Amino acid sequence: MATAGSSSRRRFYTPEDVAVHNCAKDIWVSINYRVFDLTELISANRGPLAQPLIEVAGQDISHWFDSKTGGVKTFMDPVRGVRVPYTPHGRFLHVPPPEPTAAWNTDFGTAWWLDEDLIIGRLTEKTRKVQIVNVLTHQTDLLTVCSEETLEEIRDRYMEYNKHAQSYTWKKLDNDVFVPMDMEKTLDENGVPDESEEFEKLGIDFDYYYPVIHVYFNDDLTNA
């Protein structure tokens, strides 16, 4: 069985992809649809300020940040009467202390949440499921994919189930005829719409229906 995540670099990630990177030695988080790999940052800065981030490894922490400014949210401290950073799990790396102190070192440069070099891709705005049927072996695999992904990118995910995936032609059933699909287009663009909202309106459990793609072996392993 393939795992939810993958070490390969993608344009888009599902929440499941992010969730498997959930420890100090392998830590991803998402903020406002951006996915950050904080593994090296945490490795180089172990200590109390790293701990709040380790506690939320693999999670979305958009609620810690202002979606308009991109900075850490602040709130009015009722005791001191000043605005201070919102840190529900405690102050974390690159967040200034609430009180002025000579110990606050700002030589780190750009705060990590503004560092484009740490962003490895985007969190999908919507996931969808699709069944891949291998016509040669009759094996069926259910994949969770990003709605923004092309079929080439979905095929990369399918490689976890079938290492020879590049040697297959992908087809859909169209008016009782199996027709090849355009690998550079998304499922939607290939005429395979996401009908989950319609199923929900009709009260039909979408778990019992997923779009089906049939893959046909080309009898050529040169792309394996």
Side-chain angles (χ1 to χ4, degrees):
M1 177 64 68
T3 58
S6 172
S7 58
S8 61
R9 189 75 173 257
R10 306 187 190 280
R11 286 192 310 138
F12 293 95
Y13 296 93
T14 69
E16 289 176 318
D17 292 332
V18 177
V20 297
H21 300 272
N22 57 9
C23 65
K25 294 183 178 180
D26 180 14
I27 172 172
W28 291 11
V29 296
S30 59
I31 303 170
N32 297 322
Y33 295 104
R34 297 170 300 166
V35 178
F36 292 77
D37 183 349
L38 303 184
T39 305
E40 292 186 7
L41 176 73
I42 296 301
S43 176
N45 294 276
R46 290 303 295 268
L49 295 182
Q51 194 57 36
L53 296 171
I54 295 172
E55 291 176 1
V56 296
Q59 300 179 34
D60 182 82
I61 54 173
S62 298
H63 58 290
W64 290 11
F65 297 86
D66 187 310
S67 60
K68 294 181 179 179
T69 67
V72 176
K73 285 182 177 178
T74 61
F75 71 100
M76 184 63 70
D77 186 320
V79 176
R80 288 170 288 185
V82 296
R83 297 199 70 83
V84 296
Y86 171 70
T87 53
H89 289 255
R91 187 164 73 92
F92 54 87
L93 284 171
H94 301 172
V95 173
E99 301 287 353
T101 172
W104 171 235
N105 193 339
T106 59
D107 65 358
F108 53 79
T110 303
W112 67 261
W113 55 87
L114 298 175
D115 189 344
E116 297 287 333
D117 290 338
L118 297 179
I119 299 174
I120 58 171
R122 302 270 304 169
L123 188 70
T124 181
E125 294 195 13
K126 188 174 185 181
T127 60
R128 57 181 302 188
K129 287 184 169 61
V130 60
Q131 288 188 80
I132 311 294
V133 177
N134 187 327
V135 176
L136 177 66
T137 64
H138 305 291
Q139 179 175 330
T140 298
D141 295 296
L142 182 63
L143 275 65
T144 299
V145 304
C146 303
S147 59
E148 305 92 342
E149 289 179 318
T150 65
L151 288 190
E152 285 183 347
E153 291 170 312
I154 293 174
R155 182 177 60 191
D156 287 343
R157 291 183 179 276
Y158 182 56
M159 291 280 286
E160 298 181 25
Y161 300 83
N162 181 351
K163 66 181 180 179
H164 300 301
Q166 292 184 351
S167 294
Y168 284 73
T169 297
W170 291 43
K171 297 184 179 183
K172 67 171 184 175
L173 186 61
D174 187 5
N175 293 323
D176 297 324
V177 178
F178 286 102
V179 296
M181 304 176 74
D182 189 332
M183 301 302 287
E184 296 183 356
K185 294 182 178 180
T186 65
L187 287 168
D188 256 348
E189 292 168 342
N190 270 286
V192 184
D194 182 357
E195 299 179 299
S196 57
E197 291 184 3
E198 186 64 27
F199 273 67
E200 187 175 347
K201 291 178 183 177
L202 296 173
I204 301 174
D205 189 348
F206 192 68
D207 286 342
Y208 291 103
Y209 170 79
Y210 301 108
V212 178
I213 296 174
H214 292 78
V215 294
Y216 290 77
F217 184 54
N218 296 329
D219 196 23
D220 176 7
L221 293 181
T222 57
N223 292 321

